[in-house]
Amino acid sequence: MLTIATVNVNGLRAAWRKGMPAWIDAAQPDIILMQEVRAPDDIVHGFFSNGWSLVQQACDIKGRAGVAIATRHDIIAARIGLGPQQPEIPVDTGRWVEADIALEHGRTLTVVSAYIHSGTAGTPKMDEKYSYLNRVTTRLAELNTPDSLALVAGDINIAHTNNDIKNWRGNKKSAGFLPEERAYLDQWFDAGWHDTHRDLVGEQEGPYTWWSNRGQAFDNDSGWRIDYHLTTPELFTHASYPRVDRAPSYDTRWSDHAPLVIDYSLTPASR
């Protein structure tokens, strides 16, 4: 069994100081897909030094974005970014990293840590987001081959349906819940990708994975479900036990996101 977690750490150094190591000890994930790492390679490798394999794409803009994959198993291949189809502009860096992990019987699991722009409605930042989403759509089609075992997880920054955002009525014109953004998720799911968390828990309000720091959003559970495990059809058949590791209280959080954790009935190859 592989336990895989995705979490926007909101700055790895701050998360580590606030309690992330205690969560790792308790959750025992085999693979952690991280977003908004916002730290150089030497810092990240320092935190994941003993028994971990690591690959990351840092953002070209200092203090921004950054995605990483930490796994207790060997990485047999890694790919950084959505190139080489076209050069990435600085704002697109630190948003996509892939790793292949060997499984028993010669199979391979591909895992991706993804962080998509938040965007601002009606500004050039939304144009950047749509441009990037188009490139993601192309890569998803390449990864979703017959019988492939692929997981794309991370902070997608889009709530798909009304069940994925508490205050959906007040956010119809907000970035992260625009019809044009949600249509990308429709397209991905129509192409065969599974919204694994939703498909396993069924239709209900939440469970949310991010809460604004404004007001009493966390205490009132007025959140957004914008962190995903997207799985190919074959990998979905191995998924079970989804959970959001929501902190017990606002002051015990180590990020404004909560880890989304799912188990997969797969066995890594022996080292």
Side-chain angles (χ1 to χ4, degrees):
M1 185 71 71
L2 278 175
T3 297
I4 305 179
T6 184
V7 59
N8 180 319
V9 298
N10 195 23
L12 183 60
R13 283 171 284 199
W16 210 263
R17 185 177 66 252
K18 293 177 181 178
M20 185 177 176
W23 167 77
I24 293 175
D25 289 343
Q28 288 293 300
D30 296 286
I31 301 172
I32 310 174
L33 309 174
M34 295 173 283
Q35 303 85 46
E36 283 206 88
V37 174
R38 301 202 298 263
D41 285 353
D42 59 334
I43 296 293
V44 183
H45 280 272
F47 287 137
F48 292 93
S49 56
N50 296 321
W52 292 92
S53 299
L54 182 77
V55 60
Q56 86 149 333
Q57 183 193 41
C59 187
D60 289 348
I61 304 172
K62 187 175 181 180
R64 295 278 300 276
V67 288
I69 298 170
T71 171
R72 300 182 191 273
H73 306 284
D74 290 334
I75 294 173
I76 58 176
R79 293 167 294 280
I80 305 296
L82 282 171
Q85 297 93 335
Q86 61 188 68
E88 292 180 316
I89 61 175
V91 74
D92 283 348
T93 59
R95 298 188 180 276
W96 190 275
V97 65
E98 303 181 8
D100 294 337
I101 296 167
L103 303 175
E104 283 189 336
H105 311 301
R107 303 200 70 184
T108 299
L109 170 67
T110 296
V111 293
V112 179
S113 180
Y115 175 50
I116 293 176
H117 312 69
S118 54
T120 303
T123 74
K125 290 185 177 180
M126 284 307 300
D127 295 332
E128 292 174 352
K129 184 172 187 175
Y130 292 137
S131 175
Y132 194 76
L133 284 166
N134 288 333
R135 296 179 65 196
V136 169
T137 300
T138 298
R139 183 59 183 148
L140 290 179
E142 294 169 348
L143 289 170
N144 188 16
T145 60
D147 302 322
S148 63
L149 297 171
L151 165 67
V152 176
D155 180 1
I156 304 301
N157 263 314
I158 303 171
H160 186 217
T161 72
N162 295 351
N163 279 337
D164 299 321
I165 176 174
K166 185 71 170 183
N167 183 22
W168 60 268
R169 292 180 180 86
N171 282 283
K172 289 182 178 180
K173 297 182 179 180
S174 299
F177 198 57
L178 298 173
E180 296 85 354
E181 296 173 284
R182 297 158 64 191
Y184 279 94
L185 294 178
D186 291 334
Q187 181 179 352
W188 299 346
F189 301 147
D190 288 345
W193 287 90
H194 280 268
D195 179 355
T196 310
H197 183 201
R198 173 61 68 211
D199 289 350
L200 290 176
V201 303
E203 291 302 326
Q204 57 178 281
E205 291 188 0
Y208 307 119
T209 60
W210 175 80
W211 301 262
S212 170
N213 286 321
R214 302 179 198 171
Q216 301 293 313
F218 184 81
D219 293 335
N220 296 330
D221 197 23
S222 182
W224 297 52
R225 192 181 72 92
I226 55 177
D227 301 271
Y228 293 81
H229 279 224
L230 305 179
T231 52
T232 52
E234 173 66 15
L235 183 57
F236 178 74
T237 66
H238 296 271
S240 65
Y241 189 33
R243 61 267 193 200
V244 176
D245 279 353
R246 188 178 188 269
S249 62
Y250 180 90
D251 61 345
T252 57
R253 300 190 307 167
W254 46 268
S255 173
D256 55 348
H257 291 249
L260 172 60
V261 188
I262 298 178
D263 291 340
Y264 294 89
S265 56
L266 301 169
T267 304
S270 300
R271 287 191 170 186

